[in-house]
Amino acid sequence: DEYGFRLSETSEDGLWHAGDGALYNQQTWHRGTEHVDTEATERVVFIVSFIGRPNLGRDPRQLSRGTYFHIKWNMWSHTWQDLVDPNMHMNKFYSVLRCFGLYKVTGRNWGYDYVTSAAMRIANGQNGMQPFDLAYYVNTFVNDKWNIPKFLQGPVSDTNESAWRDYMSGTLNKCWYFLGIANVGVWVLYLFIMAFWVRVGPSGKTPSDKVTQTLLLPTLVIFILTHV
């Protein structure tokens, strides 16, 4: 506070009006003030961050702290070019594919996708992705909103520095193990049904050996190829 100043002091009446804006270096400490005028209408603040996508390989740059709290999850990966025609390239369908880095229109550039930004924030211990934030995300989204069973989730810790990594790796391992068991179970059920069908047949008569080989051999070959 001793060295700070209000941007609104640059105006004649000390207030910000509709259309006013400021351009400043994100490396400076900054904060906003509360909108306390009860008689005024709600205000909308439009914040734009200009930042280059990280290079492949080792890139020491980090997201500026505080530039990501205002971004809705499905708005990640968009660029300034997309704002020219938002109805076409920022609609709900394309936004979901774009934010997870799955698809972009030919001729457009990738921005910071949601997965990349979240991984960078976790790796650098930035605000909103610190170890003590993990429990909030798990309870609010994973448990309450997405209803993912707890037996498929990794351990949740709010003190371990690698809490996010341990949770995600544990969740992936448990999901992989569960899918493996489910896969084997489906194949066993399928083979049981095929064996019963071959033995009895749809008409109650035992099929010939040729029919049996035609049905079972391809099934066994596919099973071996997909599990070796």
Side-chain angles (χ1 to χ4, degrees), residues 53-117:
R53 180 176 172 82
N55 298 319
L56 294 177
R58 186 176 180 83
D59 193 334
R61 293 179 299 168
Q62 298 185 28
L63 290 169
S64 299
R65 298 176 185 270
T67 61
Y68 35 74
F69 289 106
H70 58 278
I71 302 179
K72 191 177 179 181
W73 67 272
N74 61 352
M75 289 291 102
W76 283 96
S77 189
H78 287 296
T79 63
W80 183 257
Q81 188 180 15
D82 297 325
L83 295 175
V84 177
D85 48 2
N87 292 331
M88 173 64 69
H89 295 100
M90 298 182 69
N91 57 55
K92 292 183 178 180
F93 177 74
Y94 284 121
S95 293
V96 173
L97 298 178
R98 187 77 178 261
C99 78
F100 288 113
L102 300 176
Y103 174 80
K104 70 175 181 63
V105 178
T106 303
R108 297 299 172 101
N109 297 320
W110 287 109
Y112 269 84
D113 60 82
Y114 185 75
V115 177
T116 299
S117 63

Side-chain angles (χ1 to χ4, degrees), residues 212-222:
T212 302
Q213 294 177 1
T214 302
L215 292 174
L216 288 182
L217 286 180
T219 302
L220 293 175
V221 171
I222 294 175

Side-chain angles (χ1 to χ4, degrees), residues 123-134:
N124 296 306
Q126 292 187 338
N127 297 336
M129 290 292 184
Q130 294 177 329
F132 55 81
D133 295 312
L134 175 60

